[in-house]
Structures are given as structure tokens and as C-alpha cells.
Amino acid sequence: MNTLLRKRVMIDTAFFGTSDKSVPLLEQLLVGTNLKLCVTKTDRVVGRSKEVRQTRVKAWAKDNNIEVFEINNFDKATTQAISNKLGELQITVGVVADFSFIIPKQILTIPPKGLINIHFSKLPKYRGASPVQHTILNGEAQTAVSFMVMSEKMDEGDIISQLPYPVSSNATTQELYEELFTFGARHLTSVLTDYVEGKIKPTRQESNNATYCYSPTNPKSTLIDKQDAQLKCNDTPIMQYRKIRAFNPWPFAWTYIQDMEVSGYRLKPSIAGTTKVKVISAKFENKLLVPLIVQPENRNRMDYAGLVNGYFEKI
């Protein structure tokens, strides 16, 4: 006896994002849904050469014949234009990941199933713009990819799925972000489908347990500040190691060369003024921090031995 199977209807989706790491998510939306629109940041001019650079999201969308909507901000005209576009394309649900803008309430209400934000922490822990950095800074052994229905307030929406993920004790922010984007992409289509089909009931966050990743040096913001990355003399070696990992690839942990202590060496008398040194990478062995790659101010990267030979002398 033949059984007729009902073909699953492809969900009409839109993607909001700017990160170069978004490609795994986009690839899944392309094969698992009917991706109709990508909203991303307008091309920007970078460097002394005034190179015009587009986001990886825009480049990918053009390569795959997906319509692109570029924005500089959500002014009244832009908000209305995107709202109209979402309605015109009959978008069922939007997906947001590492987007650079706060999305207005008007847009959140256009798709029948709202906008789903992919947030890289176990919400309500580490709400805000830098959850991965704070996960590393606080020595967490586990994080999560949270799929959340967006609301007006920062990362306070209902959770539709939360998938745990282990954190390597040596992972940098760059590495962990890439892992989490890939891991989230692996589950994206099934999470969206189950949510749209009503198989998942969103659950409220326990806001009483919420934490936010505010900048220590700019406490009104959850963005990373360059001053956050300073390696201080009263930091423990493990805290310094976490900073080096957390602030890679930006802004990189740094210190003043005058504050660096090298056993058996002292700073050369010819080194005047204050010189910043970025610590690009290090290892942590036997409770000791060992810098590996460094970059003195206005110099190329070098190994740590090169820095010692160039700036220090034996006692």
C-alpha cells in the first residue's frame, strides 16, 4: 500500500547580519528555506588606500542571486522601506546574527513569526554585544547557542532553542566565534522549521538571573572598549592569558613595555617614553604566562624573543 507524504513547505526567510562568519548560516538558509532577502551594512571605505569594502554577507548574497538591502542606520525612511520589503516578499520569519544595528519594533512585527536572533551565550547570561569575549574572560567551560524571538529590549526575548557547546581552555574569541557560527548553522533549519510549524513553544527567560557583558572601562556599553584589553600589573597570570585570548582578533591585549617584567633582564636605558605592546598570542604553562607573538607600537609582529633582544638587556 502506497503512503502519500506531504511535502514540507519551504519557509520564506530574510537574514540580517554583517559578520564575515555568517556564511555557514546563509548556506543553511539557502538549502533549508526560501531565503529571499539579506539586510546588511552599506559598503565602507577602509585604510589609507580608501578601498571600498562590502560585507561578506553582501558578497555571498550577490553570488547566490539573493536580494540585498544595505543600510547605514534605521532612520524613519529606512525602517519603513525594510518593513515594506519584508511585507512585499511575504517573509515568514527573519534570522538575525551578529548584526550591527538595533532593529526597531516596527520591523520585528512584520514577519508573522517575528525575527529570531542567534545569540552566543546561555541566556539570560551575558546579554549584550560581547558574550563570547566575556565567556572567555570569566573562564567558562561551557557556553551555548541560543535561538531567541527578538523583542524591543536587549536580548530579553523568549527562547525557542538553546544548545550547549563546550569551550576549549585555549580558544580565542576568533576561534570560538567561528565554531559557534558553524554549530548554530548545523541546527538552524530544524530549529526554524519546528518553531514555524508550532512544534516548539517559546519559553520566557528568567530575567532575575540575567547578567550583562558591560565594558569595565565604559560601563554603559556592552561593546568592547580598547581600554578593556589592557594587561594590568595586578592581573593574575591566568587573567592575563584570558585577556589575550578574549581580545583576539580585536583590539588585542596590550601593555606598556615599561610594565613588562622579563626575568634576568631590564629595559634598555635608550627606550624612552611609553611604548604600547600588543600581545597577539601566548601559552599558559605551569601557572605561568609565556608570550609568543607580540607587536610593539608602529612595528611589525615578532616573536617574544625578538622583543626581548631588541628592547631589553641582561642584568
Side-chain angles (χ1 to χ4, degrees):
M1 175 174 147
N2 293 329
T3 302
L4 295 177
L5 298 177
R6 180 175 64 87
K7 185 177 180 180
R8 174 171 280 180
V9 176
M10 296 283 273
I11 305 166
D12 293 327
T13 61
F15 179 77
F16 294 72
T18 59
S19 172
D20 291 347
K21 303 175 187 67
S22 299
V23 171
L25 298 173
L26 291 165
E27 295 286 356
Q28 286 300 312
L29 289 172
L30 184 66
V31 299
T33 73
N34 186 18
L35 179 61
K36 291 184 171 182
L37 178 69
C38 287
V39 182
T40 192
K41 188 184 294 185
T42 304
D43 295 349
R44 62 197 187 281
V45 178
V46 297
R48 294 180 180 177
S49 63
K50 304 298 183 181
E51 176 191 358
V52 177
R53 186 175 298 172
Q54 61 185 354
T55 68
R56 185 71 184 90
V57 173
K58 178 182 175 180
W60 180 93
K62 288 166 60 179
D63 289 343
N64 289 276
N65 298 314
I66 304 298
E67 185 173 353
V68 177
F69 197 117
E70 299 177 66
I71 69 169
N72 280 318
N73 54 60
F74 276 108
D75 57 23
K76 187 175 180 179
T78 300
T79 299
Q80 189 59 54
I82 293 178
S83 298
N84 293 343
K85 179 61 67 174
L86 293 172
E88 172 192 321
L89 296 175
Q90 298 183 322
I91 300 300
T92 301
V93 64
V95 175
V96 182
D98 212 3
F99 198 38
S100 300
F101 307 95
I102 297 174
I103 300 175
K105 179 181 179 181
Q106 176 179 330
I107 292 175
L108 301 180
T109 62
I110 301 299
K113 290 295 182 176
L115 269 62
I116 304 303
N117 184 41
I118 302 174
H119 187 81
F120 298 130
S121 79
K122 191 175 181 181
L123 290 171
K125 197 170 191 177
Y126 301 141
R127 290 174 174 173
S130 52
V132 172
Q133 290 92 333
H134 281 76
T135 292
I136 293 174
L137 286 171
N138 291 323
E140 304 282 4
Q142 189 178 80
T143 185
V145 175
S146 296
F147 296 84
M148 170 194 66
V149 183
M150 292 186 72
S151 64
E152 287 184 86
K153 296 183 179 180
M154 183 170 59
D155 298 329
E156 292 190 17
D158 294 349
I159 301 295
I160 61 173
S161 183
Q162 196 165 74
L163 308 170
Y165 190 85
V167 178
S168 165
S169 60
N170 299 313
T172 64
T173 286
Q174 172 84 8
E175 293 164 344
L176 186 53
Y177 257 125
E178 290 177 354
E179 291 175 20
L180 292 170
F181 266 100
T182 301
F183 179 69
R186 201 177 303 150
H187 298 273
L188 177 58
T189 301
S190 60
V191 169
L192 282 181
T193 302
D194 287 349
Y195 166 64
V196 170
E197 293 184 351
K199 297 177 181 177
I200 296 177
K201 183 179 180 181
T203 58
R204 287 181 178 272
Q205 294 187 41
E206 296 179 7
S207 292
N208 290 338
N209 297 325
T211 60
Y212 293 83
C213 39
Y214 289 116
S215 161
T217 57
N218 187 16
K220 292 185 178 181
S221 174
T222 64
L223 296 170
I224 294 299
D225 190 286
K226 286 185 179 181
Q227 295 304 311
D228 297 341
Q230 183 178 4
L231 301 173
K232 298 181 179 179
C233 295
N234 59 353
D235 286 338
T236 63
I238 187 62
M239 189 67 238
Q240 291 186 344
Y241 182 54
R242 290 173 183 171
K243 283 185 175 182
I244 292 166
R245 292 163 45 223
F247 299 117
N248 180 338
W250 190 90
F252 287 112
W254 62 273
T255 188
Y256 293 109
I257 199 164
Q258 287 77 7
D259 292 336
M260 297 180 73
E261 294 184 2
V262 182
S263 179
Y265 287 79
R266 65 186 175 194
L267 197 64
K268 290 180 178 179
S270 58
I271 308 299
T274 56
T275 300
K276 282 186 177 181
V277 178
K278 292 180 180 179
V279 184
I280 309 301
S281 64
K283 60 182 178 180
F284 187 71
E285 292 182 342
N286 301 319
K287 299 183 179 180
L288 295 175
L289 178 71
V290 182
L292 297 175
I293 304 297
V294 296
Q295 185 175 17
E297 197 169 5
N298 300 318
R299 297 286 300 275
N300 294 327
R301 293 182 183 184
M302 61 180 68
D303 60 35
Y304 182 59
L307 177 82
V308 173
N309 291 333
Y311 289 82
F312 292 81
E313 62 184 15
K314 287 187 177 181
I315 298 174

